[in-house]
Amino acid sequence: MENIDFNNKKVLVRVDFNVPLSSTFQITDDNRIKASLPTLNYILEHGGALILCSHLGRPQQKKLENGELNVAKFTLNHLTSYLSATLNRPVTFISDCIGSEAVNACNSLKPGQVILLENTRFYPGEEKGDKEMAGILASLADVYINDAFGTAHRAHASTTLVANFFTADNKGFGFLMKAEIENARHIIESPEKPFTAIIGGAKVSDKMLLLDKMLDQVDNLIIGGGMAFTFIKAKGGQIGNSLVELDRLDLALQLMEKAKSKGVNLLLPVDVIAANTFSNDAEKIEVSSDNIPEGWLGLDIGPKAVETFVSTIKSAKTILWNGPMGVFEMPSFAKGTLAIAESVAEATQNGAYSLVGGGDSVAAVTQVGLSDAVSYVSTGGGALLEMLEGKVLPGVKAISE
Ligand code: AMP
């Protein structure tokens, strides 16, 4: 976007303002909005006017019992006063993103002014990737900037199709989007070796493409969290009542076989902290990960696993971390995940490049106050995973071509 002349231009910016709201509709985490501010301020400082559009939640899936949209819950108007304060100028909310109200407001928009359009997902055409809706949105502006990395893997009207209505010199990536793409590409295209990926979280099935792709690239693949038990079970271990996907045992075996044939060091936790119930104040024992007693569930990696994982992480030059090592939302089972966060930060301090992505690992580094101590914290969940899996994101493609 540095190559675009914004002076006197009306700029449609697709932002990701899908922020969590409290029951009284106060913003409880403004990170996504903050992440878009460099882009918004740059356009304003360079003489442009802003037409902001975003989705908020899933209003189509969460319609009221009478089939009506729950406007009170999903309106982006909840963000107007926060945005006015943050951008230091009045923000005009338009209660329909493509109707005549939007057309009139955009027609009389002056440089430095800001319009916030209503939730794009109030129209089913948004998620369907409706061309007509995209065309109407496009007609509001001279320039289109996409800064919503979190939805770049969706071919929606405002994230992808709209870009087709702008010429190459009138569309671009916002600074957040650019940083996300550059960091993901760094991991994909030029990782310094040794490269260690740490993949955790609940299910193998959610991350099988990522695991498979990583095996083509990494020197070490650390697998933790609930998904590790599918691998341990596939190897014949006793995993008690730990989380497992019985229909993915073959997949786990194939991935372990692939690791062997590629010479990748695949690390599973040798020990775990097991609990007698799924609760923070359950009774806890430290056991070998393949010998968990019946009725007990592995909810965190154990001290020996932490030691091995940490030493592998500390010797890495490139680190990708996606997904927690245990049920870190419960303080009793957060130790393993937090130890990993600390070692990723330490490796970064010693010169490694580290990318942390995926909501829960981001929450973990934030929880220990280390989000500034890693090289890059991605704002994208699904979008980042798809990029790392080697897919071309529709929202990225639409700007690039
Ligand atoms: P994901 O969204 O796939 O990254 O998974 C994150 C979720 O996995 C978190 O809510 C964790 O509590 C959960 N999780 C991690 N380890 C375990 C485990 N050992 N057993 C059950 N859930 C887990």
Side-chain angles (χ1 to χ4, degrees):
M1 66 180 249
E2 293 104 317
N3 299 329
I4 298 176
D5 176 11
F6 291 109
N7 199 26
N8 274 320
K9 300 277 172 62
K10 293 169 190 170
V11 188
L12 178 69
V13 188
R14 177 47 159 104
V15 279
D16 182 359
F17 283 174
N18 183 30
V19 290
L21 299 173
S22 69
S23 56
T24 54
F25 305 117
Q26 302 303 309
I27 299 167
T28 55
D29 178 352
D30 61 358
N31 276 319
R32 285 186 172 154
I33 303 181
K34 279 196 185 138
S36 70
L37 292 179
T39 297
L40 306 186
N41 285 325
Y42 180 93
I43 295 168
L44 291 170
E45 283 158 16
H46 287 77
L50 292 174
I51 305 164
L52 304 177
C53 79
S54 176
H55 74 284
L56 175 65
R58 299 191 153 167
Q60 293 296 334
Q61 284 95 319
K62 305 248 159 108
K63 282 187 173 162
L64 297 170
E65 273 171 22
N66 62 4
E68 303 260 319
L69 285 168
N70 190 343
V71 176
K73 183 165 179 194
F74 292 106
T75 177
L76 274 170
N77 200 11
H78 296 310
L79 277 56
T80 310
S81 57
Y82 171 94
L83 281 173
S84 297
T86 310
L87 293 170
N88 244 336
R89 64 196 73 213
V91 170
T92 307
F93 175 73
I94 305 295
S95 64
D96 181 353
C97 66
I98 54 172
S100 56
E101 193 192 342
V103 174
N104 293 337
C106 291
N107 279 342
S108 55
L109 195 61
K110 300 280 178 307
Q113 294 183 336
V114 183
I115 277 176
L116 172 63
L117 298 178
E118 183 55 290
N119 193 342
T120 49
R121 288 196 188 166
F122 279 173
Y123 284 96
E126 165 71 335
E127 288 169 87
K128 286 186 185 141
D130 182 57
K131 259 194 206 158
E132 202 183 327
M133 178 176 173
I136 302 173
L137 273 173
S139 70
L140 301 174
D142 307 304
V143 175
Y144 172 69
I145 296 295
N146 190 348
D147 212 17
F149 182 69
T151 46
H153 56 318
R154 311 276 187 222
H156 292 174
S158 74
T159 64
T160 300
L161 282 97
V162 65
N164 299 334
F165 292 87
F166 293 86
T167 55
D169 48 353
N170 281 318
K171 60 184 171 184
F173 298 120
F175 293 127
L176 170 66
M177 187 86 161
K178 185 176 168 213
E180 293 278 0
I181 296 168
E182 282 175 357
N183 280 281
R185 282 199 180 144
H186 179 79
I187 285 275
I188 300 163
E189 290 165 12
S190 50
E192 204 185 329
K193 300 273 182 169
F195 179 5
T196 295
I198 312 154
I199 313 287
K203 292 181 175 173
V204 193
S205 50
D206 290 342
K207 297 189 184 163
M208 55 192 195
L209 292 175
L210 177 68
L211 289 164
D212 186 58
K213 181 78 183 166
M214 283 299 120
L215 287 173
D216 294 328
Q217 301 191 306
V218 299
D219 302 287
N220 305 295
L221 177 60
I222 294 176
I223 298 180
M227 70 164 68
F229 296 107
T230 299
F231 289 83
I232 295 164
K233 170 103 182 157
K235 285 172 66 175
Q238 305 294 317
I239 59 162
N241 283 24
S242 305
L243 199 67
V244 66
E245 286 174 280
L246 294 172
D247 57 342
R248 302 290 166 170
L249 296 178
D250 282 346
L251 170 78
L253 286 173
Q254 281 161 22
L255 289 169
M256 288 188 282
E257 208 40 58
K258 179 168 176 179
K260 209 185 279 171
S261 72
K262 292 249 166 197
V264 173
N265 180 25
L266 190 151
L267 291 100
L268 292 163
V270 286
D271 61 347
V272 295
I273 308 295
N276 60 346
T277 58
F278 189 81
S279 94
N280 189 44
D281 28 58
E283 217 179 295
K284 295 195 283 184
I285 48 169
E286 251 175 58
V287 282
S288 165
S289 61
D290 59 359
N291 197 18
I292 303 174
E294 224 21 71
W296 292 70
L297 330 88
L299 296 185
D300 194 9
I301 54 174
K304 290 193 196 104
V306 168
E307 204 181 313
T308 322
F309 289 2
V310 164
S311 100
T312 306
I313 292 165
K314 281 192 189 161
S315 63
K317 283 276 169 245
T318 302
I319 302 166
L320 168 71
W321 181 21
N322 176 285
M325 296 291 103
V327 185
F328 81 106
E329 298 93 330
M330 299 182 194
S332 297
F333 306 103
K335 221 169 157 186
T337 301
L338 301 183
I340 296 304
E342 275 157 16
S343 70
V344 174
E346 199 181 321
T348 313
Q349 210 165 32
N350 293 331
Y353 168 86
S354 55
L355 169 59
V356 180
D360 282 319
S361 22
V362 172
V365 285
T366 310
Q367 197 173 312
V368 279
L370 290 173
S371 42
D372 290 336
V374 299
S375 308
Y376 192 71
V377 176
S378 173
T379 59
L384 176 70
L385 285 190
E386 290 198 18
M387 261 201 96
L388 296 173
E389 286 163 8
K391 293 183 188 142
V392 179
L393 308 187
V396 173
K397 191 166 172 230
I399 297 281
S400 314
E401 61 189 14

